[in-house]
Amino acid sequence: MSFVVNDRWKLYLKGLGKSLLLTVGALALGIVIGVVISIVRTAHDQKRSGEDKISAGLSVGNAICQLYTTIIRGTPMMVQLMIMGFVVFASSRNMQGVAILALGINSGAYVSEIIRSGIMSIDPGQMEAGRSLGMGYGTVMKEVILPQAIKNILPALGNELITLFKDTSLVSVIGMTELTKVARDIQARTYLPMMPYLGIALMYLVVVIIMTWLLGKLERRMRRSDRR
Amino acid sequence: MTEDNVLLRVEHLSKSFGSNLVLDDISEQIRTGEKVCIIGPSGSGKSTFLRCMNLLERPTKGDVFFDGQKITDLSVDVNKVREQMGMVFQHFNLFPNKTVRQNITLAPVRTGHMTQQEADAEADKLLARVNLSEKAEDYPSSLSGGQKQRIAIVRAMAMHPKMMLFDEPTSALDPEMVGEVLNVMKELASEGMTMAVVTHEMGFAREVADRVLFVDEGKIMEQGTPDELFGHPKNRRLQDFLSKVL
C-alpha cells in the first residue's frame, strides 16, 4: 500500500534524488565558503608582525568570519532554514535554491573549522620553504599546503557529508519535497505511518553506508600515495 | 650604494619576540662572493639573524639592505627579493606532495622565471650535479636525510639566487650523511656563491668560510677569519664555546 499503489515507489526515488542533489549542492557551497573562511582565518593567525598593509583588512575579515561561524554554529539548523525560507527569501519560489543556500551556509561554518584544523596540522616549515623561494602566500597555499591538508581533512569532511545528507530531511519544513516529505505526504494519504518512515530510514541508512564505504576507499587510495 | 660590492647589509637590527630580545642592535655586511659562517650556542639568536636576512622574520627595529635596496621598506615586494636569496632549512622542508622534480621546478615556473620545459631541463642538470638524477620522479618520503637536503639545496639553486642562506643544514642529519651535504655546499662555495651559513660544523667553517661570526646573546661577540677566530679567540664566551665544541 505504502509503496506499490499508484507507483508510489517512484515518489520515494524522486525524493531520494532530491535529497542527494541538496547534499551535493550544499556541500559544494559549504566547501567553497569553508575554504575561503579557513584561509582568511589562518592567514590572520599566521600573519607576521610588520606586514601592515594587509593586516588591517585581515583583521576585519577575520572578525566577520568569526561572527559568521559563531552565529551559524550557535543556532539550530531548522531555525536557520525557516529564517531563510520564510523571512529572507519569503517571496522566492525556488525552494530548492533556498534550501541549498541555507544548508550550504550552515555547512560552510563547520567545513571552515575542519579545513582550518587541517591547514594548522601542516608543518609551518612548508609555508616558509615556499615563501623563501619567492612564491606568494596564495600560491604556496594552493600548491603545497592545501593538497597535504586534504589528506588530514578527509575523514572529518566525510563526517560532514553524512551529517549534511541527513540534515536535508529538515528542508521539508520550508515545503520542499525531498525524501522525508514524500514519506509524510504518503502517510497523510494512507494513514499508515509505519512503512513509509521505516522505509525512508532504511534508505537513508543504505545511502550513508555506501558513502562511508566510498570515503574509506578514497582515504586508502590517498594514503597509498604517501608511501611511494 | 656599492661600498666594495656589498651584497647584504643589516643596520641596527633588533628582533624581539614579545618581551624576549633575541637580536640586539646588530650591524653587519656581507660582500658578493663572501662565505660567512655564523656560529654560537643554541638560543643565541643566530638562526633568527639569518631569518631576518630574507625577512622570514620581520626585524623589530633596524633595516636590511640587499643588492642596494632597502628591503625592510614596506613598499618592497618581498617575494621578488626572496627569489634572489635561496634558503636551506635544518629540516629540509621539501614538499612531500610533489616529486623531487616538481619540488625543484615549482618555484621557477610559478614565479614566471621559466617555462615548465626550461625548469625541467634545469632540474635534470642540477640533479645530475648532486648525483640524484635517478630520484627525479620519486617522492621525498623515499629519500634519506642527506638526499633530501641535497635536493633542498638544488631546489633553492634552481631560482639562480645571488645568495644562499643555510640554517643549520646538517644538524638534523645522521652523521654519515653530513659529508655528502657539506660537499655540495663546498662545491657551491668554490663556484663563488655568496653564502651565509649558520652551522655547528666547525670543520666546514674553518675550511670554507672567509669570515666567521660568533653570535651570543643576540650580539656578534667576535668575528674574524677562521684562523683568527679558532686559533686565537679573544672573547671569553667564544673561548668557552670552542672548548665545548672542538
Side-chain angles (χ1 to χ4, degrees), chain A residues 48-50 52-53 123 125-126 128-136 139 142-144 147-148 226 228, chain B residues 51 56-58 74 79 82-83 85 89 93-98 106-107 110-111 139 141-142 155-156 159:
Chain A
R48 308 206 174 254
S49 60
D52 298 322
K53 272 184 296 182
D123 174 12
Q126 292 285 308
E128 288 185 349
R131 297 305 303 274
S132 80
L133 289 162
M135 291 187 283
T139 309
K142 178 168 148 274
E143 292 285 341
V144 178
Q148 294 181 58
D226 267 355
R228 259 190 289 183
Chain B
R51 290 159 58 85
L56 275 185
E57 303 291 352
R58 280 264 168 191
L74 286 176
N79 294 336
R82 288 183 182 140
E83 289 174 9
M85 272 198 257
F89 299 84
N93 297 353
L94 293 179
F95 308 135
N97 59 320
K98 306 262 179 210
L106 182 65
R110 296 311 300 256
T111 55
Y139 283 84
S141 57
S142 69
R155 176 176 69 174
M159 292 296 290

Side-chain angles (χ1 to χ4, degrees), chain A:
Chain A
M1 184 72 156
S2 300
F3 297 103
V4 183
V5 177
N6 295 338
D7 275 352
R8 279 182 182 139
W9 56 275
K10 277 188 182 159
L11 292 176
Y12 287 106
L13 280 188
K14 242 175 104 181
L16 183 61
K18 280 278 183 215
S19 291
L20 285 170
L21 182 74
L22 287 180
T23 311
V24 171
L27 191 72
L29 182 61
I31 287 176
V32 171
I33 296 176
V35 167
V36 171
I37 291 188
S38 58
I39 286 180
V40 169
R41 294 208 55 196
T42 42
H44 177 264
D45 290 350
Q46 294 172 346
K47 138 189 100 178
R48 308 206 174 254
S49 60
E51 298 189 28
D52 298 322
K53 272 184 296 182
I54 43 169
S55 69
L58 267 182
S59 297
V60 174
N62 186 54
I64 294 172
C65 292
Q66 258 176 327
L67 184 71
Y68 162 81
T69 316
T70 309
I71 291 176
I72 296 299
R73 293 205 299 184
T75 54
M77 173 81 247
M78 193 188 276
V79 176
Q80 288 168 24
L81 264 170
M82 292 195 282
I83 290 174
M84 287 294 273
F86 302 138
V87 182
V88 183
F89 294 105
S91 54
S92 171
R93 297 247 179 71
N94 182 3
M95 274 307 147
Q96 182 174 310
V98 174
I100 287 179
L101 199 63
L103 286 169
I105 287 175
N106 178 273
S107 182
Y110 293 93
V111 172
S112 74
E113 288 298 296
I114 293 171
I115 296 179
R116 199 165 72 96
S117 74
I119 293 173
M120 294 300 221
S121 72
I122 305 298
D123 174 12
Q126 292 285 308
M127 178 55 82
E128 288 185 349
R131 297 305 303 274
S132 80
L133 289 162
M135 291 187 283
Y137 183 88
T139 309
V140 182
M141 220 12 140
K142 178 168 148 274
E143 292 285 341
V144 178
I145 309 291
L146 287 179
Q148 294 181 58
I150 282 174
K151 262 181 232 175
N152 302 344
I153 289 168
L154 206 64
L157 210 53
N159 229 356
E160 176 61 21
L161 170 72
I162 288 166
T163 308
L164 194 56
F165 172 63
K166 291 182 296 180
D167 276 356
T168 58
S169 66
L170 293 172
V171 307
S172 56
V173 298
I174 58 169
M176 199 195 143
T177 306
E178 40 63 67
L179 190 54
T180 304
K181 183 81 168 2
V182 169
R184 242 169 48 190
D185 290 349
I186 290 172
Q187 184 250 338
R189 193 70 70 78
T190 60
Y191 302 107
L192 299 170
M194 191 169 96
M195 288 323 282
Y197 291 138
L198 281 183
I200 62 165
L202 189 67
M203 286 182 215
Y204 280 115
L205 183 63
V206 167
V207 171
V208 168
I209 287 170
I210 292 172
M211 281 177 178
T212 311
W213 177 70
L214 285 174
L215 284 164
K217 260 183 95 151
L218 187 61
E219 237 178 90
R220 272 193 299 280
R221 221 181 59 195
M222 293 195 113
R223 238 177 297 143
R224 203 168 339 147
S225 71
D226 267 355
R227 297 210 195 91
R228 259 190 289 183

